[in-house]
């Protein structure tokens, strides 16, 4: 008898293995999108023909590949993402098994075009049946474009298993949605049969949710955010009235990977108990980050199930977090939303998640992973952002000072300014005149302070240093106010959002021309957030022609003007004291940011002279 065992030819082996990774067009979409994310792309475009059966193409602006890598990437177990078994526990990428492209090349006709930033020309490669058919240099932008054509052209049995175009397209949109949700800071688009279905500008998670899941969630989302020693949860849950009769719009991501978990879903459903009909489904997009040691890391990357070390804690945590969020933002306070006492006792719920603990957790292991910088919910250590804005501060400071210097010169000819002319006696009594001026005794006589001008100077100097190194205390609104703006104002506010955040204003875009004011500086009285922003924009526009000011400088000036106590307002003794004290602690107390005097000094000898004494 002859021996029977034969080694399968590579392309057949690849085809068989491919069956595990690429079951349908949507699986290829997921792999290609994740590769683009892993390559550090900020712009990822997905193009589909015929529900992916004839074409799936992903174009990214990521790092690209060298000529050798471009050939290598189609080999089975070809990966740049891990080198040894330890790396498995520090995965920073979505992929690592090096199987996707090999599988794709085994079951379709692939055209790859790629170029690295540092290379003059790119490389074009055609692969079919796992065999390179063509390779040539090509002019290409930095990044990678992979087109896979005629999926399963060589495996007719598989091809026949594919569902209708509508069904396959739904799977593709699902995968696209999941990836796009986990990376809101990346631009994504999806074009199918020449029609653009999604065009997702980079933005916040909330924006991304509204872009993807629909405008009807506008102003209907409550923020879920709890941080503990054990785990963090971040995301949004739909207000009870957005619950639907069909399941869907329910997303869990664990360490930024989409997972299916009936168990955790149950926890969320429990949090909604008695708030929604028992046969309806709330919307949620929740990101859970926990130490990977608490998760079974050995899960198959294409599998969406997950095992937690301690399921009960995760369950209780998710439930408590969602309950808490709903309770805080609920507009139906008649229901009882108190947290279950037993859950409140859980150490995981009680322990604060300190900065150190957070760093400790995030710096270990694969928690760190999955191209963190793109994660919406990744709490970036502020260093980088600060560094970036340092320049801003520096520039605006310079401009501010230069401007003041120049103004000061002019002013000095008009007023004789003395720093700290006050007698700083603790019992000094102040008098308010005309509800506008404060009279305060000075060393040589007295000063007449204009309360509004003085306050503008005080706020200006305070705001200028706000955010420089130290975080600003923001008070979250219990009932976030929605702001509907005219298009021009909306565009303006969009530009200012990140600067405003540094100043303690949490404003989130919400669909087209709407915004939600989630929080204001802690020291600001709550209740008229809407007016504050309206007025701020008005004020800002007054400065908009001042090209010499940076955006930040304009904003600070606007805020100072807008928040300042107005002339005509009665001040208490304590308020006067505070204001006068703050004013003369300013670097430049004598003028407003615009250069008007904040006070006038009347010297006794001058007065005496005037009275002929
Ligand atoms: P894995 O992602 O598990 O490493 P893949 O088969 O998906 O395996 O990809 C193989 C390798 O090809 C990757 O490790 C990466 O180095 C390279 N690669 C794939 N897609 C891209 C892309 N869009 N841009 C740059 N490099 C890529
Ligand atoms: Mg991959």
């Amino acid at each position: 008898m002859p021996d029977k065992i034969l080694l399968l030819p590579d392309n057949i082996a690849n085809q068989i293995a491919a069956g595990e990774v690429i079951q349908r067009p949507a699986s290829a979409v997921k792999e290609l999108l994740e590769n683009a994310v892993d390559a550090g792309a900020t712009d990822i475009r997905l193009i589909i023909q015929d529900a992916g059966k004839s074409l799936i193409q992903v174009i990214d602006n990521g790092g690209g590949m060298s000529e050798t890598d471009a050939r290598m990437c189609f080999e089975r177990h070809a990966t740049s993402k891990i080198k040894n078994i330890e790396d498995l526990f520090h995965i920073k990428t979505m992929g690592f098994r090096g199987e996707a492209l090999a599988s794709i090349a085994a079951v379709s006709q692939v055209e790859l075009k790629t170029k690295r930033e540092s290379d003059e020309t790119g490389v074009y490669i055609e692969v079919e049946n796992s065999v390179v058919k063509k390779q040539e240099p090509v002019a290409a932008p930095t990044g990678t474009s992979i087109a896979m054509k005629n999926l399963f052209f060589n495996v007719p049995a598989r091809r026949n298993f594919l569902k209708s175009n509508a069904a396959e397209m739904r799977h593709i949109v699902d995968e696209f949605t999941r990836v796009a949700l986990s990376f809101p800071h990346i631009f994504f688009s999806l074009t199918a049969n020449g029609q653009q279905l999604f065009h997702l500008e980079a933005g916040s998670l909330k924006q991304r949710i509204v872009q993807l899941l629909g405008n009807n969630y506008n102003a209907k989302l409550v923020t879920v955010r709890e941080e503990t020693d054990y785990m963090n949860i971040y995301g949004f849950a739909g207000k009870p009235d957005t619950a639907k009769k069909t399941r869907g719009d329910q997303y869990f991501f664990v360490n930024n990977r989409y997972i299916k978990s009936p168990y955790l879903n149950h926890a969320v459903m429990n949090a909604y108990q008695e708030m929604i009909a028992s046969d309806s489904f709330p919307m949620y997009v929740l990101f859970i980050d926990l130490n990977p040691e608490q998760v079974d890391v050995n899960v198959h990357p294409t599998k969406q199930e997950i095992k937690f070390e301690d399921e009960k804690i995760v369950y209780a945590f998710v439930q408590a977090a969602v309950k808490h969020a709903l309770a805080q933002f609920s507009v139906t306070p008649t229901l009882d939303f108190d947290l279950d006492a037993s859950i409140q006792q859980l150490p995981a719920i009680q322990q604060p998640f300190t900065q150190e603990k957070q760093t400790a957790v995030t710096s270990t292991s694969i928690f760190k992973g999955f191209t963190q910088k793109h994660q919406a919910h990744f709490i970036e250590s502020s260093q980088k952002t600060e560094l970036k804005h340092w320049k801003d501060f520096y520039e605006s400071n310079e401009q501010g000072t230069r401007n003041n210097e120049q103004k000061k010169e002019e002013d000095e000819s008009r007023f004789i300014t003395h720093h700290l002319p006050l007698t700083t006696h603790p019992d000094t009594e102040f008098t308010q005149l005309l509800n506008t001026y404060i009279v305060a005794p000075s060393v040589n006589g007295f000063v007449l302070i204009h309360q509004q001008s003085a306050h503008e100077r005080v706020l200006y100097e305070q705001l200028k240093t706000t955010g420089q190194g130290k975080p600003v205390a923001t008070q979250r609104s219990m009932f976030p106010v929605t702001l509907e703006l005219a298009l021009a104002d909306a565009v303006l506010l969009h530009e200012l959002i990140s600067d405003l955040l540094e100043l303690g204003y949490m404003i989130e875009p919400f669909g087209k021309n709407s915004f939600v004011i989630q929080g204001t500086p802690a020291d600001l009285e709550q209740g008229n957030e809407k007016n504050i922003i309206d007025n701020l924009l008005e004020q800002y526009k007054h400065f908009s022609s001042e090209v010499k000011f940076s955006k930040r400088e304009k904003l600070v000036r606007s805020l100072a003007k807008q928040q300042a106590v107005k002339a005509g307002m009665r001040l208490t003794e304590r308020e006067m004291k505070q204001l006068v004290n703050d004013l003369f602690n300013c670097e430049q107390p004598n003028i407003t940011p615009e250069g008007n005097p904040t006070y006038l000094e009347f010297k006794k000898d001058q007065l005496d002279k005037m009275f002929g004494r």
Side-chain angles (χ1 to χ4, degrees), residues 12 39 122 143 168 205 213 232 268 279 306 366 393-394 425 437 453 467 469 492 543 596:
I12 308 259
E168 293 299 346
L205 174 60
L213 307 182
N232 291 343
V268 178
D279 60 347
I306 192 163
I366 76 173
F393 285 139
Y394 183 66
H425 197 275
Y437 295 97
S453 300
L492 181 59
F543 289 112
N596 294 320

Side-chain angles (χ1 to χ4, degrees), residues 221-412:
L221 298 174
V222 300
T223 308
V224 179
R225 184 196 289 278
E226 302 288 339
E227 293 169 355
T228 68
D229 200 4
Y230 187 75
M231 60 187 279
N232 291 343
I233 186 167
Y234 168 71
F236 295 92
K239 288 185 179 166
D241 57 335
T242 60
K244 287 182 179 170
K245 287 286 174 226
T246 51
R247 193 182 289 274
D249 298 349
Q250 301 189 328
Y251 299 88
F252 269 117
F253 298 85
V254 171
N255 293 350
N256 222 37
R257 278 172 201 274
Y258 172 78
I259 59 142
K260 276 191 183 127
S261 171
Y263 184 70
L264 292 188
N265 178 61
H266 192 266
V268 178
M269 292 300 274
N270 239 328
Y272 276 90
Q273 221 172 31
E274 283 168 34
M275 299 167 74
I276 59 175
S278 57
D279 60 347
S280 62
F281 302 93
M283 169 275 181
Y284 58 83
V285 179
L286 296 173
F287 291 84
I288 297 171
D289 290 336
L290 75 176
N291 192 325
E293 278 158 31
Q294 304 294 338
V295 189
D296 184 351
V297 279
N298 239 342
V299 284
H300 192 290
T302 60
K303 269 194 196 148
Q304 292 160 342
E305 285 81 34
I306 192 163
K307 268 195 75 62
F308 296 103
E309 186 75 15
D310 191 339
E311 282 193 327
K312 281 210 194 71
I313 290 201
V314 181
Y315 183 100
F317 185 82
V318 168
Q319 184 188 1
V322 176
K323 253 190 171 175
H324 187 205
L326 290 170
Q328 267 197 325
F329 293 94
S330 182
V331 282
T332 50
T334 45
L335 290 174
D336 175 19
F337 294 120
D338 276 349
L339 286 190
D340 197 319
S342 62
I343 287 171
Q344 270 178 322
Q345 296 307 311
L346 281 173
I349 306 293
Q350 292 213 318
Q351 280 166 15
F353 196 83
T354 61
Q355 190 62 44
E356 292 138 49
K357 284 171 181 170
Q358 184 185 309
T359 327
V361 174
T362 49
S363 57
T364 59
S365 56
I366 76 173
F367 181 97
K368 199 153 190 198
F370 319 139
T371 37
Q372 251 173 10
K373 63 180 176 336
H374 302 302
Q375 292 176 29
H377 55 292
F378 171 61
I379 310 131
E380 196 165 359
S381 65
S382 44
Q383 277 175 342
K384 237 214 229 122
T385 22
E386 265 163 32
L387 269 183
K388 189 170 78 161
H389 292 289
W390 259 110
K391 206 165 151 258
D392 259 346
F393 285 139
Y394 183 66
E395 278 167 7
S396 64
N397 267 338
E398 260 201 340
Q399 278 166 337
T401 320
R402 208 181 308 129
N403 177 60
N404 282 346
E405 220 89 72
Q406 164 201 332
K407 279 270 163 58
K408 201 171 139 197
E409 271 167 36
E410 293 164 17
D411 294 331
E412 244 150 11

Side-chain angles (χ1 to χ4, degrees), residues 35-36 39 60 64-65 73 78-81 95-101 144:
N35 277 349
D60 71 54
M65 285 180 261
C73 71
T79 180
S80 56
K81 299 168 194 175
F96 56 85
R97 302 192 320 155
E99 287 187 313
L101 289 184
T144 302

